[in-house]
Amino acid sequence: MQTPSEFVNSYALIGQKKANNAATKLLVLGVLAGFLIGMGAAVTNTAGHALTNPSVAKIVSGLLFPFGLIMVILTGAELFTGNCLITISVLEKKVDVKGMLRNWFYVYLGNFIGALFLAMACAYSGPMSLNNNGVAVYTMKVAAGKCALTFGNAVVLGILCNVLVCIAVAMSLMSKNTIGRAIGAYLPIAFFVICGFEHSVANMYYITAGLLAKGVPAYAEAAAAAGLDLSALTWGNFFLHNLIPVTLGNIIGGCSFASLIWFGFAPQEQPAPVRLVPTTDVQKTRIV
């Protein structure tokens, strides 16, 4: 696999390419990534909905969710949180800040569209009805908990999450074979899921799926029968208490990691070599 220094050099060029991609391509690949990350979220809800032990539920989610990022990396899709590493390209002067922000805008929009499409499919086509609507109830429970976060907590959890996500992307790209790339992406993502950190793109599925399920009468009745409090589960809380602060935290965490690895491993300018030039009058040498 690559050394950290080699990774910084190679990603500077990768980020340059990402920043210069056509808007349509960024949007389409962003939709794909949003869908794939959403699939990871949908799987964790389905697998964990009937588990009563919180630790077991967290571990199961941590074992399953990382395959979403692995699919993103291996398919070449564009993920907003991972693209915070374009900060390396900016620091290497391969890309300006405007180019990075342009990439983020189209990719973030695409991620939201992809996650929302999957949430609509799951909410309205039956998968959440499994186990007497148990998956729907669990989906709404998870979404309501995320909408109840304070702004400050959401920012901090977003920072911690994207440090690990960017480490996962970096470790994956440093590997020179498919198995290594998958393992490199897997472990840091499992860590952030088990720890309960907040990922903006994952939440584009988790919370929109809960909000859409809340609007289905059968699911709402099942939630009421289970005694679930859905007062926090609103579109306003989704944006103000989760998506905005978590996105801000993801940016801080991702850009901070990118800056640190660049500072530690970016190639340094070497001093000009010393040349020995013979003098004309005396048989001595002088240094220039």
Side-chain angles (χ1 to χ4, degrees), residues 104-143:
W104 288 358
F105 172 78
Y106 288 111
V107 171
Y108 190 88
L109 179 61
N111 291 166
F112 194 97
I113 293 171
L116 179 60
F117 173 80
L118 180 62
M120 293 173 65
C122 290
Y124 298 141
S125 64
M128 291 188 188
S129 63
L130 179 68
N131 194 16
N132 294 321
N133 301 325
V135 174
V137 173
Y138 186 78
T139 298
M140 289 183 279
K141 178 181 178 181
V142 170

Side-chain angles (χ1 to χ4, degrees), residues 8-278:
V8 169
N9 288 335
S10 65
Y11 195 89
L13 299 177
I14 292 172
Q16 182 181 35
K17 182 179 179 181
K18 286 177 175 287
N20 292 329
N21 272 339
T24 304
K25 183 174 182 179
L26 292 174
L27 187 64
V28 171
L29 292 177
V31 170
L32 176 59
F35 177 85
L36 294 175
I37 294 297
M39 283 299 300
V43 166
T44 62
N45 280 349
T46 304
H49 80 278
L51 298 174
T52 57
N53 186 308
S55 295
V56 174
K58 284 284 188 183
I59 292 171
V60 169
S61 296
L63 292 174
L64 293 174
F65 184 88
F67 288 101
L69 182 66
I70 292 171
M71 289 188 290
V72 167
I73 292 174
L74 296 183
T75 60
E78 292 280 340
L79 182 64
F80 162 74
T81 46
N83 283 3
C84 288
L85 286 170
I86 297 176
T87 302
I88 293 172
S89 305
V90 173
L91 293 171
E92 282 289 294
K93 297 181 172 56
K94 303 289 186 182
V95 176
D96 58 18
V97 174
K98 182 180 178 181
M100 179 173 67
L101 294 177
R102 172 183 171 274
N103 174 279
W104 288 358
F105 172 78
Y106 288 111
V107 171
Y108 190 88
L109 179 61
N111 291 166
F112 194 97
I113 293 171
L116 179 60
F117 173 80
L118 180 62
M120 293 173 65
C122 290
Y124 298 141
S125 64
M128 291 188 188
S129 63
L130 179 68
N131 194 16
N132 294 321
N133 301 325
V135 174
V137 173
Y138 186 78
T139 298
M140 289 183 279
K141 178 181 178 181
V142 170
K146 290 178 177 292
C147 286
L149 291 172
T150 65
F151 192 98
N153 285 351
V155 170
V156 173
L157 293 175
I159 292 172
L160 296 173
C161 171
N162 213 32
V163 169
L164 288 172
V165 171
C166 287
I167 289 174
V169 173
M171 289 173 61
S172 180
L173 295 180
M174 287 166 71
S175 176
K176 296 181 180 180
N177 61 71
T178 303
I179 294 176
R181 295 185 74 182
I183 294 174
Y186 188 91
L187 293 175
I189 302 303
F191 287 1
F192 103 66
V193 174
I194 293 171
C195 290
F197 301 152
E198 294 289 318
H199 188 272
S200 58
V201 179
N203 288 350
M204 292 173 186
Y205 173 84
Y206 277 123
I207 301 179
T208 57
L211 285 163
L212 295 174
K214 182 182 177 181
V216 177
Y219 297 159
E221 291 174 7
L228 190 61
D229 181 10
L230 298 178
S231 59
L233 185 55
T234 66
W235 287 99
N237 285 343
F238 169 39
F239 288 103
L240 295 178
H241 287 267
N242 192 282
L243 191 60
I244 292 174
V246 169
T247 299
L248 178 61
N250 288 167
I251 292 172
I252 295 171
C255 293
S256 296
F257 170 75
S259 299
L260 285 171
I261 198 169
W262 175 84
F263 180 81
F265 296 103
Q268 304 295 319
E269 290 188 7
Q270 298 297 322
V274 175
R275 292 186 299 117
L276 297 177
V277 180

